[in-house]
Amino acid sequence: MKATARACANQGLIKYWGKTEESGRLPSNDSISVCLDRLTTTTTVEFSPEYAHDTVRINGAPAGDHRVTRHLDLVRAMAKSTLKARVDSQNGFPAAVGFASSASGFAALSLAAASAIGLNLSQVELTRLARRGSGSASRSIPGGFSELKAGNDEEAVAIQLASPESVDLRTVVVVVGEAPKKTPSSEGMRITTETSPMFRARLEYLPKALDDMRAALRSGDPAEVARLAEVDTLNMHATMLTSQPSLIYWTAETVAVMHDVRAMREDGIPAYFSIDAGQNPFVNVPAPHAEAARRRLEQLPVVRSTFLCAPGGPTELVDPPLF
Ligand code: DP6
């Protein structure tokens, strides 16, 4: 009754921002992402009649995380079980990088918990389960470049659009600050959908943005994938900035990196920024230019550290267990 899974975090390329239904985490729009091979979470889950209640440890510290317990409840309901669980989860990157690990966290938790309790779920069923923990987690299940569909509970599943090897893209994860974001994604999405006059315009813009990204992935064009992700970043952040209260996830350091990336392009490096709901930007760049982009970013006084990532694989069962 014990299983261990490892999942990669992912970066939205055409971003998910908004839900049609909160409790089922049904996304308002299709979204596309790339898994990041160096940002991983490994999670061991054991269900046992010996446990009187669920216990959760994240990076070695006890965590009273109700979202994890609620997710275990979903798995128990699917398996018609009342067994309690022990969950240990470890991020493969320093907690201090300040990246929310909900995507890799809920992807690894979903596979480990489903396997530990003896559910035999298909990959698509796993993406549905992971989505109910965190929308973006769904896209970490198939790995590579993947798409989460909008729609009802049946339809809102993720599939892989392109394998990790098929697009020669690299992502420099740029750490400019370690403070957690003030407004969590779920709350931010609710504020935006309810108040931003730009939200409707985003929904109208998205079908073509998604088609363009799918085409860039099909043709394996990393510079175009990177460029389209920057365009979509600014579109999504326009809805955040025009929410009430306004959501400004960028800090001065984030904006300094955005300007430097634009200056890099003038100097011949085809690099593009991408920012999710936080202060730390990603810089996407075709693989042959990745080291040059990274060296240049590390020289910026606002940059604390960088991680160079390649596209990552699917969520998988691994050994040994964490306990
Ligand atoms: C800005 O998946 O964290 O990173 O479903 O409420 O848990 P919940 O939200 P979450 O949202 C991620 C939003 C984003 C864009 C993206 O990853 O596509």
Side-chain angles (χ1 to χ4, degrees), residues 10-17 19 25 31-33 67 100 102-103 131 133-137 139 181 185-187 189 236 240 275-277:
N10 67 69
Q11 169 203 171
L13 295 172
I14 299 295
K15 298 176 189 286
Y16 149 54
W17 195 251
K19 298 186 184 69
R25 285 182 199 275
S31 60
I32 296 174
S33 64
R67 266 172 89 174
S102 73
R131 187 205 77 230
S134 185
S136 55
R139 301 181 310 223
K181 56 190 167 205
S185 293
S186 305
E187 191 189 338
M189 286 184 197
M236 176 184 72
M240 295 163 159
I275 307 158
D276 284 344

Side-chain angles (χ1 to χ4, degrees), residues 219-244:
S219 61
D221 182 343
E224 182 64 358
V225 169
R227 188 186 72 79
L228 293 169
E230 183 177 295
V231 170
D232 190 61
T233 290
L234 293 168
N235 189 290
M236 176 184 72
H237 281 270
T239 71
M240 295 163 159
L241 293 166
T242 52
S243 297
Q244 287 182 38

Side-chain angles (χ1 to χ4, degrees), residues 22 25 27 31 43 76 84 97 123 128 131 153-154 166 173 175 178-179 191 194 232 237 240 265 273 291 299 301 320:
E22 294 258 340
R25 285 182 199 275
S31 60
T43 301
R76 280 187 281 258
K84 300 294 182 193
V97 300
Q123 189 176 79
R128 192 178 288 116
R131 187 205 77 230
D153 184 60
E154 205 47 34
S166 61
V173 177
V175 181
E178 292 165 8
I191 295 171
E194 285 171 6
D232 190 61
H237 281 270
M240 295 163 159
R265 292 210 285 272
F273 61 79
E291 272 304 335
Q299 279 160 17

Side-chain angles (χ1 to χ4, degrees), residues 1 45-53 81-86:
M1 294 299 251
V45 179
E46 181 175 47
F47 289 95
S48 165
E50 285 173 17
Y51 297 140
H53 47 80
S81 166
T82 54
L83 292 177
K84 300 294 182 193
R86 174 176 169 189

Side-chain angles (χ1 to χ4, degrees), residues 28-254:
S28 307
N29 63 278
D30 299 347
S31 60
I32 296 174
S33 64
V34 58
C35 277
L36 300 168
D37 69 344
R38 288 194 56 206
L39 302 189
T40 60
T41 300
T42 303
T43 301
T44 298
V45 179
E46 181 175 47
F47 289 95
S48 165
E50 285 173 17
Y51 297 140
H53 47 80
D54 294 328
T55 54
V56 182
R57 292 175 80 84
I58 300 177
N59 294 329
D65 194 327
H66 301 305
R67 266 172 89 174
V68 172
T69 313
R70 278 207 303 273
H71 206 59
L72 293 170
D73 287 341
L74 281 178
V75 174
R76 280 187 281 258
M78 289 168 84
K80 300 188 173 44
S81 166
T82 54
L83 292 177
K84 300 294 182 193
R86 174 176 169 189
V87 177
D88 270 25
S89 191
Q90 197 75 44
N91 289 328
F93 50 94
V97 300
F99 280 93
S101 47
S102 73
S104 51
F106 279 100
L109 178 68
S110 296
L111 178 57
S115 307
I117 212 161
L119 284 170
N120 200 5
L121 301 184
S122 68
Q123 189 176 79
V124 161
E125 288 168 328
L126 267 174
T127 71
R128 192 178 288 116
L129 173 62
R131 187 205 77 230
R132 295 185 67 186
S134 185
S136 55
S138 186
R139 301 181 310 223
S140 285
I141 298 286
F145 297 82
S146 59
E147 172 165 353
L148 169 62
K149 303 300 289 181
N152 61 27
D153 184 60
E154 205 47 34
E155 296 159 336
V157 295
I159 49 152
Q160 188 181 91
L161 294 180
S163 71
E165 303 78 27
S166 61
V167 186
D168 212 10
L169 182 77
R170 295 293 177 273
T171 300
V172 187
V173 177
V174 184
V175 181
V176 296
E178 292 165 8
K181 56 190 167 205
K182 289 205 187 82
T183 314
S185 293
S186 305
E187 191 189 338
M189 286 184 197
R190 190 176 43 71
I191 295 171
T192 297
T193 50
E194 285 171 6
T195 66
S196 170
M198 304 286 176
F199 185 67
R200 183 184 293 268
R202 174 164 173 76
L203 293 181
E204 281 165 17
Y205 134 99
L206 274 164
K208 179 166 184 318
L210 286 155
D211 275 348
D212 290 348
M213 182 60 83
R214 293 180 192 113
L217 292 172
R218 264 197 310 276
S219 61
D221 182 343
E224 182 64 358
V225 169
R227 188 186 72 79
L228 293 169
E230 183 177 295
V231 170
D232 190 61
T233 290
L234 293 168
N235 189 290
M236 176 184 72
H237 281 270
T239 71
M240 295 163 159
L241 293 166
T242 52
S243 297
Q244 287 182 38
S246 64
L247 302 168
I248 308 177
Y249 285 106
W250 305 337
T251 60
E253 290 77 15
T254 316

Side-chain angles (χ1 to χ4, degrees), residues 262-287:
R262 287 158 63 110
M264 263 193 235
R265 292 210 285 272
E266 284 169 16
D267 296 340
I269 302 175
Y272 296 84
F273 61 79
S274 161
I275 307 158
D276 284 344
Q279 63 187 324
N280 292 320
F282 302 107
V283 176
N284 293 313
V285 58

